[in-house]
Amino acid sequence: MGDVNSIWDAKFLEYDVAVIGGGIIGVNTAISLAEKNSSLRIVILERGIVPQGASTRNAGFACFGSASEIAADIDLLGPEATFDLVYKRVSGVHRLLDRLKNHNVGLENHGGYDVLLQGFAEIDSSMHVMPHTTLQRLDEINSLLLPIFSVPVFHAVPERLAQHRFGAYATHLIYTPFESTIHSGKLMYELWRVAERKGIQIRTGFDVQDIQSETVAGITQHTLHANSLGANQHTNTQPPIKCKHVVVAASAQIPMLTNAYADLEIVPARGQIIVTSPIPNLAINGSYHMDGGYYYFRNVGNRVLLGGGRNTAFEAEQTVALETSMPIMEHLERICKSVLLPHTNYTIDHRWAGTMAFSSSKQPIVKTIAPGVTVAFGCNGMGVAMAAHVGNLAANCLP
Ligand SMILES: Cc1cc2nc3c(=O)[nH]c(=O)nc-3n(C[C@H](O)[C@H](O)[C@H](O)COP(=O)(O)OP(=O)(O)OC[C@H]3O[C@@H](n4cnc5c(N)ncnc54)[C@H](O)[C@@H]3O)c2cc1C
């Protein structure tokens, strides 16, 4: 029997940094690292053949929080922490789009709406936001966020309600011109291209099973083993990757990989989405939020994408399962019919789910939990806005 690897294989198997997870945080971390030090040998290890997490399963909002969500955050976190979060989201979107400025990510600037609902409790008993509360707080929110946007960010636009042809539950609209939508597939595809152009290697189908660390003469080295996928016909196993630093950007899967080092407070949160058939003369154009951000919808061409409803089953939705669930699907369909498109014929053509990793503070968590092992997660449902910022923080954790 010969050796499993040849003497040349080390070139493919040894790196300065391995980033686990090819989602929006992992790739931004790798790009920030390469921008800091172009001589670093960096590899991204992704379990899927394509990025298999929330980054390609989301709704594609480049958003910073609806008026109702920001009002709720002021009550929960206080004005200073809320300002800080909104500032990070807005600057994070700019940083991400700047990184991709010569790439087509399907960016559309039609602005965003907060659709305020009345009587909605009849179809959703867990309704969070009473419409008049947010409307009465617009001046407070606008003056808090004035240093970020330089002009009032939110406006009540009652005159635009009729043109949307919503159902009777929708009673008020708040508009911001500062929200956009992107095509999440194009965004991730182009981010991977940016990473590859910077010399970062992306290894797909590498499902990291564990991280083994060893310190010899003060130098720590990590060995990352993959689950056997039978990808290598010769040995029926993937050869392990060795590296000096690991950044674990595997979202809700992080505890599975790091529990030996630290007990991290990560709450998995499943998000679910439905997409309609094409609708002629669709009145919905841009991005929309409802009930404090617990529901969100947008147009994708002339289809409607609607997601959310986690608030109707918080415990059941704290899962990494990727299947859609019948109660949430039925709930979203009811909302689509009764609020969004009451006068329209359509079918539901697509349904999917994805998992997020929430932190209790709503702040991203970037932390070195052992020598050479850093974790990065916690965009709390706003990865498009936060990931470039989180990636930069993670890159700064490395010497
Ligand atoms: C339904 C839904 C709608 C959303 N809508 C929006 C939105 O409109 N706007 C917005 O800003 N945010 C939205 N989000 C949130 C956003 O998608 C996330 O905040 C963001 O994608 C998190 O990025 P991430 O890189 O941490 O995680 P992920 O994209 O989940 O990436 C983690 C990666 O790690 C890989 N991985 C996991 N375990 C391993 C392992 N052991 N070995 C190798 N690889 C591994 C996974 O395959 C995955 O590709 C939404 C999320 C969901 C679920």
Side-chain angles (χ1 to χ4, degrees):
M1 281 284 281
D3 294 338
V4 170
N5 297 120
S6 78
I7 57 170
W8 320 120
D9 281 347
K11 194 75 188 150
F12 292 89
L13 302 174
E14 293 182 12
Y15 294 88
D16 295 310
V17 186
V19 177
I20 304 178
I24 195 164
I25 291 186
V27 185
N28 273 292
T29 302
I31 294 172
S32 287
L33 277 166
E35 285 171 351
K36 268 179 69 182
N37 180 352
S38 60
S39 67
L40 281 179
R41 279 178 48 76
I42 304 168
V43 66
I44 295 172
L45 303 173
E46 166 56 45
R47 66 180 171 180
I49 299 304
V50 295
Q52 217 182 37
S55 302
T56 48
R57 310 181 77 78
N58 64 31
F61 284 41
C63 59
F64 52 89
S66 65
S68 314
E69 185 172 0
I70 290 170
D73 281 351
I74 293 173
D75 295 342
L76 183 74
L77 310 167
E80 268 176 39
T82 304
F83 178 90
D84 180 55
L85 265 181
V86 175
Y87 176 77
K88 282 180 185 153
R89 291 168 184 159
V90 172
S91 56
V93 170
H94 288 155
R95 188 192 281 259
L96 181 71
L97 294 180
D98 195 44
R99 188 160 265 170
L100 291 162
K101 62 174 173 282
N102 299 321
H103 299 254
N104 175 5
V105 299
L107 182 69
E108 292 185 16
N109 296 310
H110 299 296
Y113 293 87
D114 198 356
V115 185
L116 305 184
L117 305 164
Q118 212 144 34
F120 186 57
E122 289 162 28
I123 49 173
D124 177 2
S125 57
S126 58
M127 182 176 178
H128 281 73
V129 182
M130 293 300 144
H132 294 293
T133 323
T134 307
L135 283 174
Q136 282 157 10
R137 295 183 69 177
L138 280 191
D139 286 346
E140 173 199 350
I141 299 168
N142 282 341
S143 60
L144 176 72
L145 302 181
L146 197 60
I148 299 176
F149 296 97
S150 304
V151 290
V153 56
F154 293 116
H155 309 271
V157 286
E159 71 281 5
R160 295 194 195 175
L161 198 56
Q163 79 194 41
H164 279 89
R165 304 194 290 272
F166 292 137
Y169 292 112
T171 53
H172 298 83
L173 276 185
I174 296 171
Y175 176 71
T176 177
F178 293 98
E179 196 167 285
S180 313
T181 53
I182 50 105
H183 182 301
S184 305
K186 287 184 182 174
L187 183 124
M188 286 308 298
Y189 182 81
E190 296 300 329
L191 258 188
W192 276 32
R193 282 182 61 202
V194 170
E196 281 164 344
R197 282 205 197 131
K198 289 189 182 293
I200 296 160
Q201 295 196 16
I202 302 181
R203 298 272 298 274
T204 56
F206 198 104
D207 186 1
V208 180
Q209 194 169 30
D210 62 11
I211 305 167
Q212 286 174 6
S213 308
E214 190 184 19
T215 305
V216 178
I219 296 172
T220 304
Q221 192 182 55
H222 310 282
T223 306
L224 310 179
H225 294 273
N227 273 322
S228 172
L229 298 175
N232 181 339
Q233 290 175 354
H234 203 49
T235 60
N236 210 30
T237 58
Q238 294 256 29
I241 297 284
K242 290 186 190 298
C243 60
K244 295 178 194 146
H245 302 274
V246 192
V247 179
V248 192
S251 188
Q253 303 291 332
I254 289 175
M256 272 66 102
L257 291 161
T258 59
N259 266 354
Y261 300 97
D263 196 3
L264 293 164
E265 222 190 284
I266 296 184
V267 183
R270 179 166 60 180
Q272 304 191 39
I273 280 177
I274 57 175
V275 179
T276 68
S277 53
I279 296 170
N281 306 316
L282 182 65
I284 289 166
N285 189 26
S287 52
Y288 300 74
H289 310 256
M290 294 191 296
D291 199 20
Y294 279 108
Y295 300 90
Y296 41 89
F297 60 98
R298 61 172 283 190
N299 69 301
V300 181
N302 58 357
R303 297 172 190 265
V304 173
L305 176 157
L306 165 68
R310 222 170 28 87
N311 50 321
T312 59
F314 272 126
E315 255 178 58
E317 295 309 300
Q318 281 186 16
T319 172
V320 293
L322 275 185
E323 298 84 34
T324 55
S325 79
M326 192 63 91
I328 300 273
M329 285 291 115
E330 286 175 355
H331 184 64
L332 289 177
E333 284 189 39
R334 262 199 312 279
I335 287 173
C336 197
K337 191 78 224 160
S338 57
V339 183
L340 276 51
L341 298 165
H343 317 292
T344 310
N345 289 325
Y346 60 88
T347 53
I348 301 301
D349 282 5
H350 304 278
R351 307 160 187 275
W352 68 80
T355 319
M356 298 165 275
F358 278 28
S359 66
S360 49
S361 61
K362 290 192 99 173
Q363 290 282 354
I365 308 286
V366 176
K367 196 154 128 184
T368 296
I369 55 171
V373 182
T374 300
V375 296
F377 70 95
C379 292
N380 290 283
M382 288 196 209
V384 175
M386 289 299 248
H389 169 72
V390 175
N392 194 46
L393 289 180
N396 286 339
C397 285
L398 273 69

